[in-house]
PDB file of all heavy atoms in Angstrom:
ATOM      1  N   SER A 111     122.124 130.660 189.058  1.00 95.00           N
ATOM      2  CA  SER A 111     122.880 131.547 188.166  1.00 95.00           C
ATOM      3  C   SER A 111     124.313 131.792 188.639  1.00 95.00           C
ATOM      4  O   SER A 111     125.080 132.469 187.961  1.00 95.00           O
ATOM      5  CB  SER A 111     122.150 132.893 188.033  1.00 95.00           C
ATOM      6  OG  SER A 111     122.081 133.551 189.290  1.00 95.00           O
ATOM      7  N   LEU A 112     124.684 131.245 189.790  1.00 97.00           N
ATOM      8  CA  LEU A 112     126.036 131.456 190.313  1.00 97.00           C
ATOM      9  C   LEU A 112     127.057 130.649 189.517  1.00 97.00           C
ATOM     10  O   LEU A 112     126.736 129.575 188.997  1.00 97.00           O
ATOM     11  CB  LEU A 112     126.097 131.037 191.785  1.00 97.00           C
ATOM     12  CG  LEU A 112     125.300 131.874 192.776  1.00 97.00           C
ATOM     13  CD1 LEU A 112     125.266 131.191 194.138  1.00 97.00           C
ATOM     14  CD2 LEU A 112     125.898 133.276 192.899  1.00 97.00           C
ATOM     15  N   PRO A 113     128.301 131.139 189.396  1.00 97.00           N
ATOM     16  CA  PRO A 113     129.325 130.362 188.698  1.00 97.00           C
ATOM     17  C   PRO A 113     129.635 129.067 189.435  1.00 97.00           C
ATOM     18  O   PRO A 113     129.609 129.015 190.667  1.00 97.00           O
ATOM     19  CB  PRO A 113     130.541 131.300 188.698  1.00 97.00           C
ATOM     20  CG  PRO A 113     130.299 132.258 189.818  1.00 97.00           C
ATOM     21  CD  PRO A 113     128.811 132.436 189.892  1.00 97.00           C
ATOM     22  N   VAL A 114     129.916 128.015 188.672  1.00 97.00           N
ATOM     23  CA  VAL A 114     130.217 126.704 189.239  1.00 97.00           C
ATOM     24  C   VAL A 114     131.732 126.563 189.406  1.00 97.00           C
ATOM     25  O   VAL A 114     132.494 126.879 188.492  1.00 97.00           O
ATOM     26  CB  VAL A 114     129.688 125.580 188.331  1.00 97.00           C
ATOM     27  CG1 VAL A 114     130.072 124.210 188.877  1.00 97.00           C
ATOM     28  CG2 VAL A 114     128.176 125.686 188.195  1.00 97.00           C
ATOM     29  N   VAL A 115     132.151 126.101 190.593  1.00 97.00           N
ATOM     30  CA  VAL A 115     133.583 125.996 190.874  1.00 97.00           C
ATOM     31  C   VAL A 115     134.022 124.541 191.042  1.00 97.00           C
ATOM     32  O   VAL A 115     134.997 124.240 191.713  1.00 97.00           O
ATOM     33  CB  VAL A 115     133.967 126.813 192.130  1.00 97.00           C
ATOM     34  CG1 VAL A 115     133.846 128.295 191.853  1.00 97.00           C
ATOM     35  CG2 VAL A 115     133.115 126.395 193.335  1.00 97.00           C
ATOM     36  N   THR A 116     133.264 123.640 190.441  1.00 93.00           N
ATOM     37  CA  THR A 116     133.650 122.232 190.450  1.00 93.00           C
ATOM     38  C   THR A 116     133.732 121.734 189.007  1.00 93.00           C
ATOM     39  O   THR A 116     133.042 122.239 188.127  1.00 93.00           O
ATOM     40  CB  THR A 116     132.638 121.370 191.218  1.00 93.00           C
ATOM     41  OG1 THR A 116     131.316 121.667 190.750  1.00 93.00           O
ATOM     42  CG2 THR A 116     132.717 121.634 192.705  1.00 93.00           C
ATOM     43  N   ARG A 117     134.611 120.755 188.798  1.00 85.00           N
ATOM     44  CA  ARG A 117     134.681 120.062 187.515  1.00 85.00           C
ATOM     45  C   ARG A 117     134.078 118.691 187.771  1.00 85.00           C
ATOM     46  O   ARG A 117     134.691 117.872 188.445  1.00 85.00           O
ATOM     47  CB  ARG A 117     136.122 119.946 187.022  1.00 85.00           C
ATOM     48  CG  ARG A 117     136.805 121.284 186.764  1.00 85.00           C
ATOM     49  CD  ARG A 117     138.155 121.086 186.087  1.00 85.00           C
ATOM     50  NE  ARG A 117     138.836 122.353 185.882  1.00 85.00           N
ATOM     51  CZ  ARG A 117     139.829 122.799 186.645  1.00 85.00           C
ATOM     52  NH1 ARG A 117     140.239 122.066 187.672  1.00 85.00           N
ATOM     53  NH2 ARG A 117     140.406 123.952 186.394  1.00 85.00           N
ATOM     54  N   GLY A 118     132.892 118.469 187.237  1.00 76.00           N
ATOM     55  CA  GLY A 118     132.158 117.301 187.677  1.00 76.00           C
ATOM     56  C   GLY A 118     131.822 117.520 189.142  1.00 76.00           C
ATOM     57  O   GLY A 118     131.203 118.507 189.503  1.00 76.00           O
ATOM     58  N   HIS A 119     132.294 116.616 189.997  1.00 81.00           N
ATOM     59  CA  HIS A 119     132.048 116.777 191.426  1.00 81.00           C
ATOM     60  C   HIS A 119     133.331 117.111 192.184  1.00 81.00           C
ATOM     61  O   HIS A 119     133.326 117.133 193.407  1.00 81.00           O
ATOM     62  CB  HIS A 119     131.413 115.506 191.981  1.00 81.00           C
ATOM     63  CG  HIS A 119     130.085 115.208 191.363  1.00 81.00           C
ATOM     64  ND1 HIS A 119     129.006 116.054 191.458  1.00 81.00           N
ATOM     65  CD2 HIS A 119     129.661 114.164 190.603  1.00 81.00           C
ATOM     66  CE1 HIS A 119     127.975 115.547 190.799  1.00 81.00           C
ATOM     67  NE2 HIS A 119     128.357 114.411 190.271  1.00 81.00           N
ATOM     68  N   ASP A 120     134.415 117.364 191.458  1.00 94.00           N
ATOM     69  CA  ASP A 120     135.683 117.697 192.097  1.00 94.00           C
ATOM     70  C   ASP A 120     135.862 119.206 192.156  1.00 94.00           C
ATOM     71  O   ASP A 120     135.592 119.927 191.184  1.00 94.00           O
ATOM     72  CB  ASP A 120     136.859 117.084 191.331  1.00 94.00           C
ATOM     73  CG  ASP A 120     136.954 115.585 191.522  1.00 94.00           C
ATOM     74  OD1 ASP A 120     136.400 115.089 192.523  1.00 94.00           O
ATOM     75  OD2 ASP A 120     137.564 114.915 190.672  1.00 94.00           O
ATOM     76  N   VAL A 121     136.361 119.686 193.300  1.00 97.00           N
ATOM     77  CA  VAL A 121     136.570 121.116 193.492  1.00 97.00           C
ATOM     78  C   VAL A 121     137.747 121.595 192.650  1.00 97.00           C
ATOM     79  O   VAL A 121     138.791 120.944 192.590  1.00 97.00           O
ATOM     80  CB  VAL A 121     136.848 121.411 194.978  1.00 97.00           C
ATOM     81  CG1 VAL A 121     137.158 122.892 195.174  1.00 97.00           C
ATOM     82  CG2 VAL A 121     135.661 120.994 195.825  1.00 97.00           C
ATOM     83  N   SER A 122     137.579 122.729 192.013  1.00 97.00           N
ATOM     84  CA  SER A 122     138.669 123.378 191.294  1.00 97.00           C
ATOM     85  C   SER A 122     139.197 124.509 192.162  1.00 97.00           C
ATOM     86  O   SER A 122     138.539 125.543 192.335  1.00 97.00           O
ATOM     87  CB  SER A 122     138.177 123.944 189.950  1.00 97.00           C
ATOM     88  OG  SER A 122     139.141 124.832 189.402  1.00 97.00           O
ATOM     89  N   ALA A 123     140.375 124.310 192.749  1.00 97.00           N
ATOM     90  CA  ALA A 123     140.957 125.339 193.623  1.00 97.00           C
ATOM     91  C   ALA A 123     141.157 126.644 192.864  1.00 97.00           C
ATOM     92  O   ALA A 123     140.927 127.738 193.413  1.00 97.00           O
ATOM     93  CB  ALA A 123     142.278 124.839 194.196  1.00 97.00           C
ATOM     94  N   GLU A 124     141.566 126.542 191.613  1.00 97.00           N
ATOM     95  CA  GLU A 124     141.809 127.761 190.825  1.00 97.00           C
ATOM     96  C   GLU A 124     140.519 128.556 190.641  1.00 97.00           C
ATOM     97  O   GLU A 124     140.504 129.780 190.774  1.00 97.00           O
ATOM     98  CB  GLU A 124     142.394 127.395 189.453  1.00 97.00           C
ATOM     99  CG  GLU A 124     143.772 126.772 189.499  1.00 97.00           C
ATOM    100  CD  GLU A 124     143.748 125.286 189.843  1.00 97.00           C
ATOM    101  OE1 GLU A 124     142.637 124.697 189.930  1.00 97.00           O
ATOM    102  OE2 GLU A 124     144.836 124.717 190.044  1.00 97.00           O
TER     103      GLU A 124
END
Side-chain angles (χ1 to χ4, degrees):
S111 63
L112 293 170
V114 177
V115 291
T116 50
R117 298 188 182 102
H119 298 299
D120 287 339
V121 176
S122 166
E124 294 80 6

